[in-house]
């Protein structure tokens, strides 16, 4: 029996290093570091783990009163071999100079995934070192300030970009997106207010936005099929053609099949013919979700019906009511007949 146990241990220890690294990459960082006590052979295997993740579970199960800053620094200094993923998403992380030092220790030649979540305090201003990670495929930034240098050529391999509460000049953002031609998934949550939000993405498939813009323009987005637009404020749209211009921009997306839109973004359509037919159609749209609907606003309901009628190939419709909305009103049958004809 003892000989069998030894054989099993040796069979794991003697696995190729790339397989061991894959196994370690599936474990929480706490457990990865703890493998160093298994045996002499395992003492330093953890330092070549391709993924380093400091998240909620690491904070709960491992820190236990230890200070985070020196621990992160020590782990990064001891790491050997290619590092593919670095996630820093612990609770209560504040902006501090240590963050820039940690980023400077990451290998720019191998890193493919980077998440930085500054959850408290001031917005963290990132240094230009971030621009050196040319192999990035996934980039997620929270509560940061990002200002690419004039000569920055973009992240050519970036597939997934998520920016939340990131301070970025609108003109700089447009250049950043245009210089990341491989992006397939883009999320902008509570970022800079935009006069005109320009989205360019020859491979972009999913776009989610929550914030403020006066207008949006989609350029060279031939495969963009899923769009989600919600707004933190709609005060700026009053007195202009926001709703109609928004619908026109969406109608220019040849592959758009799924759309999530706040219903009150359509209110201005009443000034352009609602509930009659709009001058444009969303012919490819198959799934529509209108959220935050106020049924007591007849104008909003009228515009929603008008918009739905401009989606001739719609297959699925979901309408969610705003928490502050009254129960859905009962309109005369003539109202629905007019909207459906």
């Amino acid at each position: 029996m003892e000989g069998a146990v030894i054989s099993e241990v040796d069979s794991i220890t003697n696995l190729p290093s790339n397989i061991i690294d894959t196994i370690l990459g599936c474990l929480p960082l706490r457990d990865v570091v703890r493998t160093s006590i298994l045996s002499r052979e395992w003492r330093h295997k953890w330092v070549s783990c391709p993924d380093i993740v400091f998240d909620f579970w690491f904070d709960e199960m491992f820190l236990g009163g230890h200070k985070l800053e020196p621990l992160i620094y020590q782990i990064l200094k001891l790491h050997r071999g290619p590092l593919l993923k670095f996630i820093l998403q612990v609770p209560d992380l504040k902006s501090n100079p240590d963050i820039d030092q940690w980023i400077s220790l990451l290998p720019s030649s191998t890193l493919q995934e980077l998440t930085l979540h500054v959850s408290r305090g001031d917005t963290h201003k990132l240094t230009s070192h971030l621009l050196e990670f040319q192999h990035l495929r996934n980039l997620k930034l929270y509560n940061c300030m990002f200002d690419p240098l004039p000569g920055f050529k973009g992240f050519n391999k970036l597939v997934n970009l998520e920016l939340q509460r990131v301070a970025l000049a609108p003109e700089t953002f447009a250049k950043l997106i245009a210089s990341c031609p491989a992006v397939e998934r883009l999320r902008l949550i509570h970022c800079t207010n935009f006069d005109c939000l320009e989205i360019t993405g020859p491979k972009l498939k999913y776009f989610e936005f929550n914030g403020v813009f006066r207008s949006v323009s989609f350029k060279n987005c031939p495969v963009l099929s899923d769009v989600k637009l919600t707004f933190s404020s709609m005060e700026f749209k009053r007195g202009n053609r926001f709703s109609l211009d928004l619908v026109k921009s969406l109608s220019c997306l040849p592959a758009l099949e799924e759309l999530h839109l706040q219903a009150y973004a359509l209110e201005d359509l009443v000034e352009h013919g609602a509930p009659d037919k709009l001058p444009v159609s969303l012919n490819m749209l198959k799934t529509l979700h209108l959220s935050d609907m106020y049924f007591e606003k007849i104008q909003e309901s009228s515009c929603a019906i008008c918009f739905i009628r401009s989606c001739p190939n719609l297959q699925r419709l979901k309408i969610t009511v705003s928490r502050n909305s009254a129960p859905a009103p009962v309109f005369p049958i003539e109202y629905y007949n007019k909207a459906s004809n």
Side-chain angles (χ1 to χ4, degrees), residues 63-308:
L63 281 181
H66 294 86
K67 289 187 176 182
L68 177 68
E69 290 78 6
L71 189 58
I72 294 179
Y73 179 79
Q74 184 179 11
I75 289 176
L76 290 176
K77 286 291 288 183
L78 292 175
H79 189 271
R80 298 292 182 270
L83 180 62
L84 304 180
K85 178 194 295 186
F86 180 74
I87 296 179
L88 183 56
Q89 198 170 3
V90 295
D92 300 327
L93 178 65
K94 295 181 180 181
S95 175
N96 65 81
D98 291 323
I99 294 177
D100 298 323
Q101 185 179 35
W102 301 333
I103 293 178
S104 69
L105 293 175
L106 302 177
S108 59
S109 60
T110 62
L111 194 68
Q112 297 181 11
E113 181 173 345
L114 174 62
T115 296
L116 175 59
H117 192 146
V118 180
S119 56
R120 294 185 60 190
D122 297 333
T123 299
H124 182 78
K125 186 175 182 179
L126 293 164
T127 66
S128 59
H129 191 84
L130 178 68
L131 309 180
E132 299 178 9
F133 299 116
Q134 290 298 305
H135 295 275
L136 280 179
R137 293 179 58 82
N138 295 280
L139 177 61
K140 299 179 181 180
L141 301 176
Y142 301 78
N143 196 25
C144 297
M145 184 180 297
F146 182 36
D147 188 15
L149 299 175
F152 178 57
K153 297 182 179 180
F155 299 110
N156 293 326
K157 298 182 179 181
L158 195 64
V159 174
N160 180 30
L161 176 60
E162 183 172 328
L163 305 178
Q164 184 167 333
R165 299 189 184 279
V166 172
L168 187 66
E171 59 274 12
T172 302
F173 170 79
K175 294 179 181 178
L176 171 65
I177 297 302
S179 62
C180 300
V183 168
E184 298 179 5
R185 183 179 175 87
L186 174 62
R187 297 184 73 236
L188 302 177
I189 310 297
H190 300 301
C191 292
T192 307
N193 291 347
F194 296 88
D195 280 333
C196 179
L197 176 62
E198 294 185 8
I199 302 297
T200 303
K203 295 185 178 181
L204 187 64
K205 299 177 181 179
Y206 176 85
F207 173 56
E208 179 179 352
F209 177 88
N210 181 276
V212 174
F213 63 67
R214 294 183 181 273
S215 64
V216 61
S217 172
F218 296 99
K219 299 180 179 179
N220 189 23
C221 298
V223 296
L224 180 54
S225 61
D226 193 348
V227 174
K228 181 177 181 180
L229 300 177
T230 54
F231 303 91
S232 57
S233 171
M234 296 297 292
E235 293 297 322
F236 62 88
K237 78 178 183 67
R238 293 181 178 176
N240 61 24
R241 293 165 49 91
F242 176 86
S243 298
L244 183 60
D245 290 343
L246 174 60
V247 174
K248 287 182 177 180
S249 294
L250 292 171
S251 68
C252 294
L253 296 174
L256 183 62
E257 294 187 354
E258 297 187 32
L259 175 63
H260 178 174
L261 185 65
Q262 282 178 305
Y264 58 77
L266 301 173
E267 281 186 350
D268 292 346
L269 292 179
V270 74
E271 301 177 7
H272 303 282
D276 297 328
K277 189 176 180 180
L278 292 176
V280 294
S281 299
L282 281 73
N283 295 319
M284 299 302 295
L285 197 65
K286 296 179 180 180
T287 301
L288 174 62
H289 178 192
L290 294 177
S291 61
D292 297 316
M293 188 79 174
Y294 282 84
F295 279 109
E296 67 268 38
K297 295 183 179 180
I298 296 180
Q299 174 177 310
E300 186 170 301
S301 299
S302 175
C303 292
I305 293 174
C306 178
F307 183 74
I308 293 169

